[in-house]
Amino acid sequence: MTKVAILIDGGYFLKRLRTVRPTTNREDAAAVCRDISRLVTSHLKQINKIERAAHPRALLYRSFYYDARPYLDKGHLPISAKGIDYAKTDRAKFHLALHDNLRRTSNMAVRLGEVRRDPDSLWELKPSVLRDLLKKNRDFADLTDDDFRPTFRQNAVDMRIGLDIASITLKRQADMIVLVAGDSDFVPAAKLARREGIKFVLDPLWRKVDENLFEHIDGLRSGFPKPQPKPEPKAKA
């Protein structure tokens, strides 16, 4: 019986969630956790159409969720210089709750990297604000704290994905790896897996991928139904 490992790039998953699961409250850690479980189960059901196991979950070696620990230090806002405790922000509370929910999920491993900030560039202008400044629609003197966003940088998340792919492959812990991701950073690890006879399936959550990636994977599919296009606004009479 085929054993399957399902690896989920958490940062990518959360970005795509608005598109593939528009009804999910993305601020509710328990609801997001349930969607992650639905994604895993959906992939197992698709594979089980061929394998015919007694139960789709019998195919699962383990699922893995990769993310970074939230930034929990203190700092100051860029314009007003008011103090901010990142541990008390909604973003930090959400990620802490999500990781805790996932740790309590059966056959789920949570792999966490770190979030760091460059002391020389703690803040950056939001893209829309920068465009307005370049077009001279706004003046620098009018900027407020809300026009900036903190420059969080994830560290060692992609490395953990690559290490797990290599470990699963070389230890023969699974016969198939399903990776939920959207970039090409996984290609070296995918090459290793496929050379060792592991089937490698990519789920980009319905985002279009580079045509060159197809030579490095054995299949492309999504665990969620294809999002329906937004209806075009009706023309005014």
Side-chain angles (χ1 to χ4, degrees):
M1 182 173 62
T2 296
K3 278 294 182 181
V4 184
I6 299 179
L7 285 60
I8 302 169
D9 180 338
Y12 180 77
F13 175 84
L14 293 175
K15 287 179 182 177
R16 292 293 297 164
L17 194 58
R18 181 197 298 271
T19 300
V20 296
R21 297 285 294 177
T23 60
T24 295
N25 180 356
R26 294 178 298 111
E27 297 178 358
D28 183 340
V32 173
C33 184
R34 287 193 294 270
D35 271 352
I36 293 169
S37 293
R38 288 189 184 100
L39 178 66
V40 170
T41 299
S42 177
H43 274 293
L44 295 175
K45 285 181 176 179
Q46 291 182 52
I47 297 166
N48 200 39
K49 290 179 180 178
I50 299 173
E51 293 296 319
R52 302 294 184 182
H55 192 281
R57 283 271 167 178
L59 302 174
L60 182 64
Y61 159 61
R62 187 169 292 138
S63 50
F64 300 79
Y65 186 86
Y66 301 87
D67 201 359
R69 294 179 181 85
Y71 190 78
L72 302 177
D73 288 346
K74 296 180 180 181
H76 295 87
L77 295 173
I79 300 296
S80 67
K82 291 181 179 178
I84 179 171
D85 185 348
Y86 288 99
K88 295 180 180 179
T89 62
D90 291 340
R91 177 173 180 173
K93 291 177 181 178
F94 167 80
H95 280 278
L96 289 172
L98 177 60
H99 298 161
D100 185 59
N101 274 273
L102 288 170
R103 290 188 187 98
R104 299 168 188 267
T105 302
S106 177
N107 288 325
M108 175 70 72
V110 181
R111 300 279 198 260
L112 298 180
E114 303 291 339
V115 168
R116 296 180 180 177
R117 300 186 72 188
D118 183 348
D120 295 324
S121 56
L122 296 176
W123 297 90
E124 64 184 7
L125 283 167
K126 294 177 179 177
S128 59
V129 177
L130 180 58
R131 286 194 294 270
D132 284 343
L133 289 171
L134 292 174
K135 293 178 180 178
K136 301 188 184 303
N137 293 332
R138 293 189 60 180
D139 295 324
F140 280 98
D142 298 328
L143 294 178
T144 68
D145 291 326
D146 291 336
D147 294 322
F148 293 81
R149 62 186 182 187
T151 53
F152 297 124
R153 299 287 182 261
Q154 287 191 357
N155 186 52
V157 175
D158 289 342
M159 179 189 70
R160 282 171 168 75
I161 296 175
L163 287 174
D164 276 340
I165 292 174
S167 178
I168 291 167
T169 296
L170 298 176
K171 293 180 179 179
R172 311 302 294 182
Q173 292 167 322
D175 308 293
M176 178 186 295
I177 292 174
V178 178
L179 176 64
V180 180
D183 56 36
S184 58
D185 292 342
F186 67 86
V187 166
K191 286 183 177 180
L192 169 65
R194 297 179 77 226
R195 283 198 300 267
E196 296 296 322
I198 304 296
K199 289 186 178 180
F200 199 96
V201 175
L202 178 66
D203 179 358
L205 296 173
W206 294 105
R207 183 180 179 184
K208 186 177 180 181
V209 298
D210 193 309
E211 293 291 330
N212 295 328
L213 288 182
F214 284 94
E215 65 178 299
H216 305 298
I217 61 177
D218 296 301
L220 183 75
R221 61 169 172 258
S222 179
F224 286 140
K226 187 173 183 179
Q228 296 299 313
K230 293 181 180 179
E232 295 184 3
K234 295 181 179 180
K236 294 182 180 180

